[in-house]
Amino acid sequence: MELTIPMADFDLIIFDCDGVLIDSEVLACTCLHQQLARHGIAMDVAAVMQRFLGRSIDEVSRHYQATLQRTMPDSFVHELRQHMRAAFEENLLAIPDVENLLQRLPGAYCLASSSDLDRVNFSLNLAGLSPYFEERVFTAGLVTHAKPAPDLFLLAADRMKAAPQRSLVIEDSISGVEAGKAAGMTVWGFVGGSHYAGRDGDALLRAAGADRVFQRMIDIELALALQPSVG
């Protein structure tokens, strides 16, 4: 039986966005699958998830160039963003109970995502989570090397004035877990998003180095030993 770790053990919690705060990965990967198909790159949704989950658009660009032997046009990203915005507006939801967790956190927390800033802000607004983060959003555009490099998490900790070894990362992707561990942080995997339905996410994230893996936000709350809100 795993021991409960109190919030006092961490000075900072760093949340990933897609698949941790919002249930967006199936929507995003479906849109990417369709956009790649329009450009003659055949990958099913499962393959898109395996290759690009938790990665920045630069990884898509590298795959595009390697497959088609030409640079990915700017129109690819623009069209992809438009498709995602439409899909998110229609179907995006916050991860169940994540708002309860955010309301009860007694310490510092922030967001560090491989997505671009516009998409993160758009998604948080749709899910009703914008007020919880405001100026505490860090994205891959701020660093030279995106996940699985540790750069983004180290930047977030530095900006939030927390030591890496006193920081906790909550991640749903292999690349995110690897980035958190490379940064010297504690990493808890989260497999409560719909993209893990029918997949053994627990084994995947533990193999990547996750210290613990959770399926529900309420279990993360209990592991942090948070007190219920009053009133």
Side-chain angles (χ1 to χ4, degrees):
M1 180 177 180
E2 293 177 296
L3 296 175
T4 296
I5 301 177
M7 178 65 189
D9 284 357
F10 304 109
D11 295 330
L12 174 68
I13 299 180
I14 306 176
F15 291 92
D16 180 36
C17 185
D18 295 284
V20 173
L21 299 174
I22 56 173
D23 197 3
S24 57
E25 296 289 23
V26 171
L27 297 174
C29 288
T30 298
C31 289
L32 179 55
H33 150 73
Q34 294 168 346
Q35 182 68 357
L36 288 169
R38 291 186 188 98
H39 286 254
I41 301 175
M43 295 180 75
D44 60 24
V45 175
V48 169
M49 284 188 182
Q50 182 176 1
R51 184 174 183 95
F52 301 115
L53 196 70
R55 300 297 185 99
S56 70
I57 194 66
D58 290 341
E59 183 65 23
V60 179
S61 179
R62 284 189 285 270
H63 182 74
Y64 183 104
Q65 184 161 9
T67 303
L68 300 181
Q69 302 302 306
R70 61 177 184 269
T71 302
M72 188 173 76
D74 291 340
S75 60
F76 183 101
V77 178
H78 176 73
E79 291 168 7
L80 177 61
R81 285 174 177 166
Q82 293 305 308
H83 295 320
M84 284 188 181
R85 286 178 77 92
F88 282 20
E89 284 179 334
E90 186 171 350
N91 297 298
L92 185 68
L93 296 172
I95 290 290
D97 298 318
V98 72
E99 190 167 6
N100 290 336
L101 174 60
L102 294 173
Q103 288 172 346
R104 298 174 184 182
L105 286 177
Y109 64 90
C110 65
L111 182 160
S113 172
S114 293
S115 296
D116 63 82
L117 183 60
D118 286 344
R119 174 176 156 183
V120 170
N121 287 335
F122 178 72
S123 300
L124 292 177
N125 186 57
L126 281 178
L129 301 178
S130 293
Y132 295 101
F133 292 95
E134 297 180 337
E135 302 301 317
R136 293 175 290 176
V137 174
F138 306 99
T139 60
L142 296 172
V143 294
T144 302
H145 303 291
K147 303 173 188 177
D151 303 33
L152 183 56
F153 289 135
L154 291 173
L155 173 71
D158 180 66
R159 295 279 182 87
M160 296 295 292
K161 303 186 186 311
Q165 63 269 25
R166 295 277 302 170
S167 299
L168 168 66
V169 169
I170 300 179
E171 263 285 356
D172 73 304
S173 70
I174 291 172
S175 63
V177 170
E178 291 174 343
K181 296 306 294 182
M185 299 176 179
T186 300
V187 180
W188 289 358
F190 180 73
V191 293
S194 58
H195 56 297
Y196 277 117
R199 301 169 65 209
D200 188 0
D202 187 293
L204 287 173
L205 298 188
R206 287 185 187 275
D211 299 286
R212 299 180 66 177
V213 179
F214 297 84
Q215 220 167 12
R216 304 183 304 165
M217 281 294 159
I218 192 171
D219 294 326
I220 292 178
E221 182 176 328
L222 292 172
L224 290 167
L226 301 183
Q227 297 298 315
S229 57
V230 178

